[in-house]
Amino acid sequence: MTETTKTAARQRPLSPHLQIYRWSLTMALSILHRATGAALSVGLLMIVWWLVAAAGGEASYATFRAFAASPIGLLLMLGFSGAFYLHLANGIRHLIWDAGCGLEKEAADKSAKVAVIAAIVMTVVTWLLVVAYW
Amino acid sequence: MTNFRNPLKLARNHGASGTGTGHFITQRVTAIIIAPLAIWLIIGIISHMHADLTAMRAWIGHPVNAGLLSLLLIASFWHAAIGLGEIIQDYVHCATKKLAALLAVNVLCGLLGLVSTLAVVKLLLV
């Protein structure tokens, strides 16, 4: 207790963190991979709700459908789909790194751009399909 | 006296999480399972956008779809449990809070994974 108070009072230097570094795309993607992962864990709840409602019966399924088709539901699904595609594209980047490829600075910068563009394209295509089937 | 202990034996299981490579490999295996199945599910949902409950139940309960859905659910909740656990291990430093948060995440992911898989199994057997 006294040790931590003393340490805090002395204002010991900290290693550089988020607010110190100049933002780069690779860094943003690294953080977004975690953020989207956490968001998608919450998004799984909607899939659970969908399945449990379908197994439940007419009343529970109608409640789910009304929510899914509501502006909030659609906005959530738009967010989850965007988060999923970014997590997917960046996840594939991670798998390629795990194989020992593309770890050079230039390659990582390039694959970061590819991942962002791929995520945007996949999200747009998905929602164009939704609109087409509407 | 000579120390016969392999240095790897001393290093193993002493990281921040207590374990390491097991989770690392599971996270990647589940990711490879989720990637194609999630895209399959998105296509399935969009093509059944206007389906009523009967049609939706029939689609979910089809043996092939039910099998793929169950695999996707189990892989997803496993992936989520490891991923959320990793975030907790990185940012929660108090040992008690860390244990409680990890326990909560694992129990919730296990429970929700089971509940959703059982819903699929119910529609399979209808």
Side-chain angles (χ1 to χ4, degrees):
Chain A
M1 174 64 203
T2 45
E3 191 54 45
T4 46
T5 337
K6 244 192 268 171
T7 313
R10 240 190 285 146
Q11 287 286 317
R12 290 175 57 78
L14 295 165
S15 57
H17 202 54
L18 291 184
Q19 64 271 37
I20 302 291
Y21 289 117
R22 182 174 55 83
W23 278 86
S24 65
L25 188 59
T26 44
M27 175 182 166
L29 267 185
S30 170
I31 295 158
L32 274 174
H33 198 65
R34 286 205 154 180
T36 51
L40 288 167
S41 308
V42 180
L44 274 175
L45 289 174
M46 201 159 163
I47 294 179
V48 175
W49 186 12
W50 167 56
L51 290 168
V52 170
E58 288 289 352
S60 59
Y61 196 64
T63 311
F64 171 78
R65 279 205 69 141
F67 175 78
S70 72
I72 295 171
L74 286 169
L75 199 66
L76 272 176
M77 287 192 286
L78 177 68
F80 289 143
S81 63
F84 168 70
Y85 287 127
L86 190 64
H87 200 82
L88 173 71
N90 201 49
I92 291 170
R93 226 170 132 231
H94 271 281
L95 288 175
I96 294 168
W97 285 336
D98 291 340
C101 310
L103 287 158
E104 302 78 18
K105 191 173 172 290
E106 292 74 22
D109 281 339
K110 199 179 165 192
S111 65
K113 285 182 193 135
V114 171
V116 171
I117 292 166
I120 294 170
V121 168
M122 286 189 285
T123 310
V124 169
V125 167
T126 300
W127 286 88
L128 280 178
L129 276 175
V130 173
V131 172
Y133 273 90
W134 197 264
Chain B
M1 203 180 111
T2 322
N3 189 358
F4 289 105
R5 220 168 238 200
N6 190 313
L8 188 62
K9 170 70 187 154
L10 296 172
R12 201 170 266 163
N13 297 333
H14 286 287
S17 64
T19 54
T21 47
H23 276 175
F24 180 92
I25 292 165
T26 310
Q27 194 66 340
R28 273 132 193 95
V29 171
T30 49
I32 292 165
I33 293 170
I34 295 165
L37 287 181
I39 290 173
W40 161 79
L41 179 65
I42 291 171
I43 294 168
I45 289 174
I46 292 175
S47 56
H48 288 79
M49 220 161 63
H50 300 293
D52 59 0
L53 181 58
T54 318
M56 199 76 239
R57 280 183 159 183
W59 186 77
I60 297 168
H62 186 281
V64 174
N65 296 340
L68 292 176
L69 263 174
S70 306
L71 181 61
L72 174 60
L73 288 167
I74 294 163
S76 298
F77 278 106
W78 202 347
H79 193 87
I82 295 174
L84 291 173
E86 209 172 284
I87 295 174
I88 292 166
Q89 279 155 359
D90 275 359
Y91 298 116
V92 182
H93 301 303
C94 163
T96 318
K97 282 182 195 159
K98 179 154 75 180
L99 186 66
L102 284 172
L103 189 66
V105 157
N106 283 307
V107 168
L108 265 178
C109 285
L111 187 68
L112 291 169
L114 270 175
V115 165
S116 51
T117 309
L118 285 174
V120 173
V121 171
K122 187 195 168 188
L123 294 178
L124 171 73
L125 300 174
V126 158

